[in-house]
Amino acid sequence: MLGPFVRDRIENWASDYCVSDRIAAFAPPLRENAQEVLVTFLTAACDARSVEPQDITEADVRPALEAVAERISLPASCRADTPGLVGDFLAFLEDEGRLAGGRLCGAYARALKPSFTGAAAGKGQTYTNPGSRLGRNDPCPCGSGKKYKKCCMRE
């Protein structure tokens, strides 16, 4: 659980970003929700391992983005750009000298865009097995030269 001073620091950092010129690169609906998104993200990142905001790492980024997807109901137009906003925010914190490794964490947040978009839409992730299934009439994988049904399928 974060203390009141840590919560104030997180809100101040998010406010500093939201009044900077960097936020102009994002769509107006996302700018309206930016303060809430960034505070939720940074709070969840700190809660993941009970660390201070200046000590978050890449390992804290994914659970924090998932928390944003779960806790905040964003308009569809904002969902796709949220990882970019978080990534730019983390880079901003490094530029300000508040977070070491902010650019690296920001790049990681941007790379999580496909999984964030799916999670924010409430879709589960579909897993498929790599490669094709082995059929009865395919050559046996043991290398005998026989069909699978005549060789190893019986075992």
Side-chain angles (χ1 to χ4, degrees), residues 57-88:
T57 62
E58 275 185 60
D60 305 319
V61 172
R62 179 183 288 269
L65 267 176
E66 290 171 358
V68 168
E70 292 171 6
R71 296 178 190 166
I72 299 176
S73 173
L74 293 171
S77 60
C78 296
R79 279 189 214 125
D81 292 335
T82 301
L85 174 73
V86 169
D88 195 51

Side-chain angles (χ1 to χ4, degrees), residues 99-151:
L99 176 65
R103 290 193 187 286
L104 184 63
C105 291
Y108 182 65
R110 286 184 203 94
L112 294 173
K113 180 178 179 177
S115 64
F116 175 82
T117 305
K123 297 179 184 174
Q125 192 172 13
T126 304
Y127 294 99
T128 58
N129 290 331
S132 61
R133 289 184 45 124
L134 185 61
R136 293 172 37 91
N137 291 317
D138 291 335
C140 189
C142 74
S144 66
K146 296 180 182 179
K147 289 185 177 183
Y148 178 62
K149 68 182 178 185
K150 296 282 187 179
C151 189

Side-chain angles (χ1 to χ4, degrees), residues 18-105:
C18 290
V19 297
S20 72
D21 293 336
R22 294 176 79 146
I23 196 140
F26 298 97
L30 186 57
R31 281 186 273 182
E32 292 170 7
N33 294 307
Q35 177 78 18
E36 182 183 8
V37 167
L38 297 176
V39 168
T40 303
F41 167 78
L42 207 49
T43 302
C46 292
D47 282 342
R49 292 184 305 127
S50 298
V51 296
E52 295 287 318
Q54 65 271 14
D55 297 329
I56 65 170
T57 62
E58 275 185 60
D60 305 319
V61 172
R62 179 183 288 269
L65 267 176
E66 290 171 358
V68 168
E70 292 171 6
R71 296 178 190 166
I72 299 176
S73 173
L74 293 171
S77 60
C78 296
R79 279 189 214 125
D81 292 335
T82 301
L85 174 73
V86 169
D88 195 51
F89 174 62
L90 293 170
F92 169 79
L93 292 179
E94 183 175 354
D95 292 345
E96 295 289 313
R98 298 175 180 173
L99 176 65
R103 290 193 187 286
L104 184 63
C105 291

